[in-house]
Amino acid sequence: MTDKNELLAGASEVSVDSEYFSPIPVGYKKGKTKYVIVTGTVMSGLGKGIFSSCLAKLMQDKGLKVSPIKLEGYLNIDSGTLNPFRHGEVFVLDDGMECDMDLGTYERMLDQNLSKDNFATSGQIYRDVLEKERHGDYLGRDVQMIPHVTGEVKLRLRNLAIKTNADIVFVEIGGTVGDLENAFYIEAMRELAYEEGPNSCCFVALTYILEPKTLGEQKSKAAQLGIKQLMQCGVQPDIIACRAANPVGEKSRQKISVYSNVPLNRVISLHDSTSVYQIPAMLRECGMDFEVLRHLHIEDRINLRSERGEWAKWCDFTDKIGKEKQTVTIGITGKYTSLRDSYASIINALEHSGIALGCDVKINWFDTTDVTDKNAGDILKDVDGIIVPGGFGVRGTEGKIACVKYARTNNMPFLGICLGFQMAVIEFARNVCGLKDANSTEINDKTPYPVIDILPEQKKVNAMGGNMRLGGQDVEIKPDTIAYKMFKSKSVRMRFRHRYEVCPDYIEQIEKAGLIFSGKAPSQPIMQILELQGHPYFIATQAHPCLTSRPMRPQQMFLGLVEAAMKK
Ligand code: GLN
């Protein structure tokens, strides 16, 4: 079938002359897939992704097939060019998509690998519309926000539904209702609900209840106004989840209920909790899962036996939270601002390992701009282990190298991630191999010993955006190494995002001096894991192992670090 036919296929209502311009993809079965649509009001940062992933998890436990999608308002094609200190970490999917950190939340909560189909930005939507326009796909019509741009959004969701055979697609709309850049997403969802018919879509409005210290009571007006704004867009919420610091009282819930036509039992309190992994239980307690199922008319699709098993496993995991018997402190070299979001996956990976090992992992952040060989010991005296995470550019790199040296020479457990791996190679080259002023050409392109150099395939890349060595790659593990003992396998898959690598010319010299490259790319001389034997724990990887750590399957390199820190 040609593109043009595909655009128009499957729906008799679609024609050039009618206003029903809604591209239904071939093979789409109306009614098979239902949609839960999550929007936010009052402020951003409510945790829409956390909420949506927890609800999706409850549905997955019941044997339903779920597929999330994040719709971002910004015009960037992906998150790769965004500064993590402004927008949170760049999460990398196995297929190489650089996306919003919320996709990490979904992958962890659902223990499921996602793909580029689960992430859309306004930039992607407009790009696709403009490409179709140039291709002549709009059959002489003027191309408009409605129906063409909104049509493109619906097309994405329906394609995702077909591809994943989902019972429920969870749609998370970025930003807050009222943002100009997200308005067309909300309009598209209103159209979707209209086209799919009653009980096909469940709109969840997340909002925030203020509790000003000076008043000492909860205030729901901002929430009411936010919901009103959503209703002005033609969307009637079916469920309202009230975020707040403390449990939301009946009075506030009643006010919101009356104001929004949402029955009181569907206006729920979603107050702060110590761990995101406790939120599924919170949603379950207030019966949220069954409210959604009833609304979508799919109670008959669930498998309660599957749910019992899955829920028991989950509770075994969450029961361990807060009952840790030991505390360790891990130092992370990172800039001070908005650390939680910029290093979300590392924090999560440490939490997973801590829970598994019965250990409360505290984090000590420190900037390395002023760290030197002389003061490193002082700065690191209170930590039980250290992580040098990924990064770009020159700032703080000499301090990071000093930290690596301190860890190597003082039996301090160390995990290097991506840039941290490169720092470990440089430190070893300088201080053990005697290659004075060895460096990465990213940091100093005139170094006499470029032990870290640009990947050959990256030499011809000029533009920015989506062109690093990205995504899941297999790592071949050398037998009889610490890595092999840890992974218990000859091959592991990890996720990458880098332009530089260990320069192959120096591999032999470095290995001769005692550093072991225990993981490499199967068909190229790209070094991917390094380790030192005879040290309590000194390991680093060119990959980002934090991206594949899952609550009940903590990533091995993080487990190893926490374990070593506990022994210290
Ligand atoms: N800047 C380094 C590189 O491009 C490391 C990248 C990273 O830490 N993600 O290779």
Side-chain angles (χ1 to χ4, degrees):
M1 206 180 261
T2 67
D3 283 350
K4 228 171 259 181
N5 286 336
E6 211 163 281
L7 193 71
L8 300 176
S12 52
E13 330 148 286
V14 173
S15 90
V16 201
D17 304 317
S18 98
E19 291 306 313
Y20 290 105
F21 188 96
S22 200
I24 309 279
V26 186
Y28 185 74
K29 287 195 218 83
K30 199 165 153 178
K32 156 76 180 119
T33 301
K34 307 284 183 160
Y35 299 86
V36 171
I37 298 148
V38 182
T39 58
T41 59
V42 177
M43 64 180 197
S44 62
L46 290 172
K48 289 189 296 276
I50 293 172
F51 168 82
S52 174
S53 64
C54 292
L55 188 57
K57 186 214 157 19
L58 294 182
M59 298 302 172
Q60 180 176 275
D61 285 352
K62 293 177 183 20
L64 297 175
K65 258 190 111 61
V66 299
S67 189
I69 181 166
K70 170 96 193 248
L71 303 177
E72 281 284 9
Y74 52 69
L75 289 168
N76 308 55
I77 298 291
D78 56 41
S79 309
T81 49
L82 295 178
N83 179 346
F85 294 98
R86 280 182 67 99
H87 197 81
E89 80 177 351
V90 179
F91 196 85
V92 184
L93 301 178
D94 191 78
D95 65 3
M97 183 71 186
E98 296 172 283
C99 57
D100 184 83
M101 57 186 280
D102 277 334
L103 278 273
T105 310
Y106 289 112
E107 283 205 342
R108 286 186 286 269
M109 204 56 91
L110 300 174
D111 198 359
Q112 181 183 313
N113 272 6
L114 300 175
S115 78
K116 60 177 180 5
D117 300 325
N118 302 98
F119 181 64
T121 67
S122 296
Q124 292 173 21
I125 303 283
Y126 291 135
R127 179 196 59 193
D128 291 357
V129 169
L130 294 176
E131 273 171 10
K132 284 182 182 164
E133 188 278 330
R134 289 292 81 182
H135 193 246
D137 289 350
Y138 294 112
L139 312 177
R141 280 192 57 152
D142 44 343
V143 183
Q144 294 181 297
M145 289 300 286
I146 304 169
H148 303 102
V149 175
T150 53
E152 194 61 37
V153 178
K154 290 177 281 176
L155 185 64
R156 286 258 175 157
L157 302 190
R158 287 173 171 141
N159 274 331
L160 180 66
I162 298 176
K163 221 168 166 175
T164 57
N165 199 24
D167 291 294
I168 309 177
V169 164
F170 282 81
V171 186
E172 177 193 344
I173 300 181
T176 42
V177 176
D179 295 346
L180 190 58
E181 57 179 14
N182 296 316
F184 75 96
Y185 284 136
I186 295 172
E187 165 60 15
M189 294 306 100
R190 186 196 65 74
E191 294 170 17
L192 182 78
Y194 163 67
E195 290 168 12
E196 295 283 319
N199 304 101
S200 59
C201 296
C202 179
F203 285 91
V204 185
L206 243 74
T207 189
Y208 195 78
I209 307 296
L210 302 167
E211 200 169 339
K213 272 212 179 75
T214 42
L215 299 180
E217 62 170 325
Q218 292 181 326
K219 289 290 184 187
S220 63
K221 182 63 90 194
Q224 291 170 35
L225 291 174
I227 292 158
K228 185 171 177 183
Q229 205 169 12
L230 181 65
M231 291 165 84
Q232 279 168 344
C233 303
V235 171
Q236 166 65 52
D238 301 299
I239 290 173
I240 296 176
C242 306
R243 291 280 298 111
N246 299 304
V248 179
E250 176 106 4
K251 202 172 119 204
S252 300
R253 288 175 46 237
Q254 276 173 356
K255 274 194 195 156
I256 291 173
S257 169
V258 171
Y259 217 83
S260 62
N261 314 317
V262 177
L264 188 61
N265 67 331
R266 289 185 172 196
V267 179
I268 64 152
S269 168
L270 204 68
H271 42 279
D272 292 351
S273 80
T274 36
S275 164
V276 297
Y277 302 119
Q278 283 159 337
I279 296 174
M282 208 180 208
L283 297 180
R284 216 165 171 264
E285 263 156 43
C286 59
M288 184 77 167
D289 45 353
F290 280 95
E291 288 298 335
V292 173
L293 288 172
R294 266 194 291 275
H295 182 80
L296 296 175
H297 286 191
I298 48 172
E299 304 112 293
D300 57 336
R301 294 192 201 171
I302 65 171
N303 176 345
L304 285 173
R305 180 189 284 257
S306 143
E307 176 178 45
R308 269 196 296 274
E310 292 304 319
W311 191 246
K313 267 190 256 167
W314 183 255
C315 292
D316 283 345
F317 162 72
T318 52
D319 280 350
K320 291 187 222 150
I321 300 173
K323 301 199 185 72
E324 296 82 1
K325 290 185 196 74
Q326 194 183 336
T327 302
V328 298
T329 305
I330 301 292
I332 306 183
T333 62
K335 297 174 200 172
Y336 285 115
T337 45
S338 25
L339 292 163
R340 269 212 88 79
D341 280 1
S342 333
Y343 296 104
S345 291
I346 293 184
I347 297 171
N348 268 282
L350 285 173
E351 188 182 355
H352 303 159
S353 296
I355 295 170
L357 296 167
C359 175
D360 184 15
V361 183
K362 299 251 181 291
I363 298 177
N364 228 341
W365 302 98
F366 60 99
D367 195 351
T368 52
T369 357
D370 301 318
V371 181
T372 60
D373 283 348
K374 280 209 182 75
N375 64 15
D378 253 2
I379 290 169
L380 295 173
K381 69 177 183 311
D382 296 328
V383 306
D384 307 304
I386 168 169
I387 294 179
V388 179
F392 295 84
V394 183
R395 194 175 164 269
T397 45
E398 284 304 318
K400 288 182 182 134
I401 294 169
C403 291
V404 177
K405 182 177 176 190
Y406 180 84
R408 182 177 61 79
T409 52
N410 289 278
N411 286 335
M412 161 88 76
F414 163 78
L415 172 62
I417 298 174
C418 204
L419 183 72
F421 166 90
Q422 298 173 354
M423 297 293 105
V425 172
I426 295 169
E427 191 279 321
F428 195 83
R430 285 185 190 174
N431 301 322
V432 181
C433 305
L435 303 177
K436 192 168 173 282
D437 295 328
N439 216 330
S440 160
T441 49
E442 181 184 12
I443 298 162
N444 172 11
D445 57 7
K446 306 216 166 51
T447 167
Y449 304 108
V451 289
I452 304 293
D453 198 7
I454 192 143
L455 283 153
E457 78 231 34
Q458 289 287 326
K459 283 192 180 137
K460 38 187 190 297
V461 174
N462 291 318
M464 291 275 261
N467 51 26
M468 283 188 243
R469 180 170 181 256
L470 283 171
Q473 304 278 349
D474 291 328
V475 181
E476 195 181 278
I477 308 286
K478 208 186 251 177
D480 299 324
T481 57
I482 300 168
Y484 189 84
K485 243 185 249 148
M486 221 156 54
F487 291 112
K488 299 182 184 68
S489 168
K490 273 189 238 154
S491 169
V492 290
R493 197 166 173 82
M494 299 215 267
R495 296 196 191 158
F496 291 79
R497 180 172 189 253
H498 65 125
R499 286 187 208 284
Y500 293 80
E501 62 161 342
V502 179
C503 173
D505 301 346
Y506 293 94
I507 293 171
E508 211 189 311
Q509 188 177 359
I510 292 171
E511 288 214 293
K512 267 202 182 123
L515 194 75
I516 296 163
F517 289 113
S518 47
K520 64 184 254 333
S523 53
Q524 287 164 285
I526 304 179
M527 299 302 108
Q528 312 202 118
I529 299 175
L530 66 75
E531 62 185 65
L532 266 184
Q533 299 199 339
H535 185 288
Y537 194 78
F538 190 98
I539 202 158
T541 172
Q542 186 65 78
H544 294 263
C546 41
L547 300 181
T548 40
S549 186
R550 302 279 165 86
M552 293 190 279
R553 293 187 297 121
Q555 207 279 338
Q556 293 88 338
M557 298 178 100
F558 280 85
L559 261 182
L561 176 76
V562 175
E563 214 165 17
M566 287 168 78
K567 280 186 198 142
K568 190 174 172 278

